Amino acid sequence: MMIHPYNNDIYGFFKQTICDMISAMKRKVERIANDLAGRLKEWDSVDTITIAEWADMDIYDPYFFLSLDVYYQGKIPSAEKRRKLFSDAGAFETSSVTKKDRFLLEDLPVRVEFKDISRIDNILLSTKEHLWVFRQTGTYMFYRIEKGKVLNKKSDWIDRTKEKLKNLPEVFWKMLHTACQSTMEHYLLDLNAAVARADNFFYLVSSAGFIKNLCSMLFILNRRFEPSGRKLFESVLELPRKPDNFRGRFESFLRQAPELTPVRKREVAELLAKSVIAMD
């Protein structure tokens, strides 16, 4: 069937319009990120500022947010001073527990997280004594350092730290593997118990804990740092080393379907666990 030239013109127009919009949005994100970095770098305690990969996403994606990591030495200004620094932002809120500020700037969601360099250095200096740090979020802290794009730096700390992360001792990975496998097996036992008791709530909790730690084990076995939960699904499927039939079982465990009852999913979970443990 012949396509009228007019239709080609319309298609080309909309295609170019979309490309122009995407370019404009990317420039906006880049401008705001550099503006924030320019303000933050003025503090004496700030050494390095990086931006996370989420900034490369479409701003209309529900997962999009502009995330800055601010690596500092000593002390950072109080929450009130930080609020004044971002006086042009809306919906400002802060957490004293995690040293994280959240706000909106030109309708974009922004997160600024402050990270103590001395704490990171101590963890890298003695990973065995700090193994507890990785129990909840895995190696995500190292992932942020490895993948973060540097917006500003006053020293070579970030470069030296990235080099250290490339050369973590094998004992670190072995200890992490042992701890993670133990936690995964614990959740699998809980999953079995929840299915036996028909406890829907505990089944959900134990299923989440099991699949999260199963993924963590695969990242450890591949000697890769673990991304956040938003990227976990796609990233684990891209790992070079996986058990045979992993994808099918993994997706079956996650999928909601009448035939995939809790009993059936328990069986799938046991197959997944056995196949991953056998990789070591």
Side-chain angles (χ1 to χ4, degrees):
M1 184 177 68
M2 183 178 294
I3 299 175
H4 196 281
Y6 176 76
N7 292 334
N8 284 332
D9 291 342
I10 292 294
Y11 171 76
F13 171 76
F14 279 112
K15 182 179 179 181
Q16 186 59 50
T17 300
I18 292 171
C19 289
D20 291 344
M21 289 175 62
I22 292 173
S23 297
M25 291 304 177
K26 286 185 175 181
R27 289 194 298 271
K28 178 180 178 179
V29 170
E30 185 178 355
R31 173 176 56 79
I32 292 175
N34 287 325
D35 173 57
L36 291 172
R39 304 187 206 186
L40 291 160
K41 73 179 183 180
E42 296 303 316
W43 295 337
D44 293 337
S45 56
V46 171
D47 181 272
T48 303
I49 304 168
T50 64
I51 185 169
E53 59 197 328
W54 305 111
D56 294 329
M57 298 178 68
D58 181 348
I59 67 168
Y60 297 111
D61 190 304
Y63 281 169
F64 171 84
F65 62 97
L66 203 163
S67 180
L68 300 184
D69 285 337
V70 180
Y71 298 95
Y72 70 94
Q73 291 179 319
K75 293 183 178 180
I76 57 172
S78 65
E80 188 56 38
K81 288 182 178 179
R82 300 200 304 273
R83 187 188 299 272
K84 289 179 180 178
L85 181 70
F86 308 125
S87 59
D88 53 338
F92 183 94
E93 60 179 34
T94 187
S95 170
S96 59
V97 178
T98 56
K99 293 184 180 178
K100 182 185 296 185
D101 296 337
R102 297 184 182 91
F103 49 86
L104 293 173
L105 197 59
E106 296 186 35
D107 296 323
L108 294 185
V110 178
R111 300 181 189 179
V112 180
E113 189 163 353
F114 301 92
K115 301 185 176 182
D116 191 340
I117 284 177
S118 61
R119 178 175 179 269
I120 296 170
D121 287 344
N122 286 335
I123 291 171
L124 282 169
L125 188 64
S126 183
T127 50
K128 182 177 180 180
E129 282 73 18
H130 292 88
L131 197 61
W132 59 271
V133 172
F134 308 100
R135 290 289 174 88
Q136 190 169 12
T137 58
T139 53
Y140 183 51
M141 173 178 61
F142 291 163
Y143 178 91
R144 297 275 295 208
I145 296 173
E146 179 187 50
K147 300 293 185 181
K149 175 186 174 183
V150 176
L151 296 178
N152 185 269
K153 63 178 181 178
K154 298 177 183 176
S155 74
D156 64 348
W157 175 83
I158 190 73
D159 302 310
R160 288 186 286 105
T161 302
K162 286 186 176 186
E163 282 302 312
K164 290 177 184 177
L165 293 179
K166 291 178 184 178
N167 299 288
L168 286 171
E170 190 63 20
V171 65
F172 165 78
W173 295 107
K174 292 291 185 182
M175 288 189 304
L176 210 57
H177 178 273
T178 300
C180 191
Q181 180 174 325
S182 176
T183 305
M184 182 193 69
E185 290 173 336
H186 172 82
Y187 277 114
L188 184 59
L189 289 173
D190 284 348
L191 177 58
N192 274 287
V195 171
R197 285 284 299 270
D199 185 336
N200 291 333
F201 177 80
F202 195 48
Y203 169 77
L204 184 63
V205 171
S206 54
S207 293
F210 166 76
I211 203 67
K212 167 66 171 63
N213 281 276
L214 180 91
C215 290
S216 295
M217 275 193 67
L218 280 169
F219 280 99
I220 292 166
L221 288 165
N222 279 272
R223 301 301 187 257
R224 302 279 182 91
F225 298 133
E226 184 178 337
S228 76
R230 293 178 181 84
K231 286 199 68 175
L232 205 51
F233 176 79
E234 61 186 65
S235 297
V236 77
L237 292 177
E238 292 171 355
L239 290 172
R241 289 187 62 210
K242 296 183 293 290
D244 293 337
N245 305 313
F246 174 77
R247 185 180 189 118
R249 291 168 178 169
F250 184 61
E251 292 180 341
S252 292
F253 186 81
L254 298 175
R255 187 158 54 91
Q256 300 297 320
E259 67 272 16
L260 292 170
T261 63
V263 172
R264 175 58 185 145
K265 286 197 174 185
R266 178 191 63 190
E267 294 170 354
V268 173
E270 289 173 345
L271 290 171
L272 282 168
K274 287 178 182 177
S275 64
V276 171
I277 290 172
M279 289 177 63
D280 186 30

